[in-house]
Amino acid sequence: ISGLFRNVIGGKVLTKQDLEKPMKGMEDLLLKKNVAREAAVRLCEGVERELIGKKTGSFESIDTLLRTSLSSSLTKLLTPTTSLSLLTSITNITTTQQRPYTISIVGVNGVGKSTSLSKLAFFLLQNNLSLLIAACDTFRSGAVEQLRVHARNLKDLSDREHLGRVELYEKGYGKDAAHIARDAVAYAKDHNFDVVLIDTAGRRHNDARLMSSLEKFAELARPDKILMVGEALVGTDSVMQARAFNAAFGAKRGLDGFIISKCDTVGEMVGVLVSMVHATGIPVVFLGVGQHYGDLRTVNVGNVVGLLMS
Amino acid sequence: MVLQDLGRRINSAVSDLTRSPNLDEKAFDGMIKEICKALLDADVNVKLVQSLRISIKRTVNFKDIPPAVNKKRLIQKAVFDELVKLVDPHAEPFKPKKGKPNVIMFVGLQGAGKTTTCTKLARHYQTRGFKSCLVCADTFRAGAFDQLKQNATKAKIPYFGSLTSTDPAQVAAEGVAKFKKERFEIIIVDTSGRHRQEKDLFDEMTQIQSAIKPDQTIMVLDATIGQQAEAQSKAFKETADYGAIIITKTDGHASGGGAISAVAATHTPIAFMGTGEHMLDLERFSPQPFVSKLLGMGDVAGLVEH
Ligand SMILES: Nc1nc2c(ncn2[C@@H]2O[C@H](COP(=O)(O)OP(=O)(O)OP(=O)(O)O)[C@@H](O)[C@H]2O)c(=O)[nH]1
Ligand SMILES: Nc1nc2c(ncn2[C@@H]2O[C@H](COP(=O)(O)OP(=O)(O)OP(=O)(O)O)[C@@H](O)[C@H]2O)c(=O)[nH]1
Ligand SMILES: [Mg+2]
Ligand SMILES: [Mg+2]
């Protein structure tokens, strides 16, 4: 941020006027990092509230004060309040309830749902879990074959490296996704799988018909976790995407976390994390950083904040 | 719909100003601020918005407008012109010729909608009397060939691809040669998604391009793209020199400002818009009617001549 803000040094009580220009610089910085304007403005307002009336320390510039304040706001926003350990949650369910743990993946078209699902599968296999992948995108051409290839690749990998077991559950195209999901979960229970990973069709968040079918889907599949994939490339639409999907599963159920895919395509412009978390308060569980199975990461908040502030 | 919100907001900022009793400089600055906010919310590139702000200010030059001049008209025209400049690169997209092979190569970021759109476009030309076909040169993505095959079959369009080859340039060359021999007029080549940060993927794009020498390269851009639009579209332009853009997913809620920034950054026209997941969801695009519709001003077309 350096250089953008007017530097006032030492022992001054800050007024709204002192902050006006530097705040604008800070907002522009966030916008350039692909943070939605709504979130950028809110964050800046928070920083401004905190700083007005504050006295700068000796040799402390407005610049430093702002940086510290923004950086801690971002850190607070992006740091999850509950533990996100997926493996712990899975073991809890499989041991105490003797049933498979169910994860469904949702999101708009082309963001990387099926690929993220496969990466997640790879991660779980490495932890020696047995997986059933349920092909519940019964709409998009090639969706079933795409998962079949992933399931086959993952199986080969697992066999070679003695990892967990993986199988594909599919009923072709055209059929109702919610029913296939329910049947897959039942099949997994009968065949002692630890985890069911359910892929779903991409849908626009403003398509009322497709969005409303998610409620029935959640009712029948009863997922333990619903993860939404959002891509790092998306702009302001991220806010509405996150809110709409969070609201789509009925009054009792929301999203449990985000996977932000395609982080490797945006460099420092990782603002989508801020936009989506800000819009919903739901944590980011994983980041996608490439097109290969190993390209899934947990979030390092310090890193992300560093990119945003650079 | 794409840009509808943006249009409404810009329009109301302009008419709020022109309707206000004291049309002074402060009100004028307020209007510019409103317009810039609307553009930023629509994902227009931040730097582009900054230069647009300066440009409108300079054209209108509020302080020095003689009292006799119709301020309202002047301001409206300035805003309209700037917006048209954004989406109108004054270049015509390529028009295929009948009776000869026209090879069209699709490029773009991962998941933008290339595979879906190439069938839509093949079908578009097919119904206009061109003998059309599809080549799948995506040897990377799982199920890519199945996806294209299923779409092509539904649209009754001949296709070519390989389930085993891992060399997209070779598959592309084979497919194009075969269809040229069979006297196809529109040969559309689908490629894998890629991005500027991976040099290997860009090199691969160059290799495919030199193997098939397309008459037209088209960049497919997702209407929801944000601030990365400019950098990515520029990098694709420098490497693949595409001559047209297709914006997809315009049936979503996004404003498409990212895609517009790509047009502005690369001086490349938008040729079509994708408006849904189905085969027929493709519309032609032309900038001026688009902006007038966007601004909801029936009379702006007249303004342009002045
Ligand atoms: N660079 C990069 N590409 C990714 C990443 N995740 C997914 N992709 C690519 O994005 C494209 C779309 O991925 P899919 O997994 O098919 O997306 P989807 O959301 O399932 O798509 P639909 O089912 O059609 O809605 C593919 O080319 C993937 O390889 C990532 O983290 N980085
Ligand atoms: N709503 C909507 N969805 C679209 C449109 N165009 C494509 N899609 C969807 O977007 C998703 C991705 O489309 P693809 O055609 O697979 O994208 P791609 O660019 O070929 O993806 P990669 O080959 O993985 O890079 C699919 O779910 C499509 O159905 C559109 O105009 N509107
Ligand atoms: Mg998918
Ligand atoms: Mg494709």
Side-chain angles (χ1 to χ4, degrees), chain A residues 28 31-32 34 37 109-110 139-142 145-146 149-150 173 202 204-206 231 233-237 240 262 264-267 269 291-292, chain B residues 9 37 40-41 43 46 50 110-111 140-143 146-147 150-151 154 193 195 197 201 224-228 232 249 251-254 277-278:
Chain A
D28 277 354
L31 292 175
K32 281 183 190 155
N34 201 34
R37 205 178 62 87
N109 304 90
F139 172 75
R140 207 209 71 216
S141 303
E145 287 78 6
Q146 181 180 10
V149 171
H150 284 311
Y173 293 93
R204 284 186 284 123
H205 59 84
N206 58 334
E231 58 171 27
L233 284 165
V234 75
T236 312
D237 200 43
M240 298 260 244
K262 310 186 191 174
D264 53 322
T265 68
V266 296
M269 294 186 188
Q291 305 195 75
H292 299 279
Chain B
R9 284 180 60 182
K37 278 187 198 167
L40 289 168
D41 276 333
D43 296 320
V46 179
Q50 282 162 352
Q110 289 89 350
F140 174 76
R141 170 164 163 187
D146 287 292
Q147 184 184 3
Q150 287 168 18
N151 282 342
K154 261 184 238 160
H195 56 286
Q197 288 86 350
L201 294 180
T224 66
I225 192 169
Q227 293 294 326
Q228 258 299 305
Q232 293 287 357
K249 312 185 197 176
D251 48 325
H253 188 275
E277 293 194 72
H278 296 278

Side-chain angles (χ1 to χ4, degrees), chain B residues 121-143:
Chain B
L121 192 65
R123 210 209 124 271
H124 170 91
Y125 285 124
Q126 178 105 313
T127 55
R128 279 156 187 78
F130 288 91
K131 197 178 168 198
S132 307
C133 63
L134 289 162
V135 176
C136 173
D138 181 354
T139 54
F140 174 76
R141 170 164 163 187

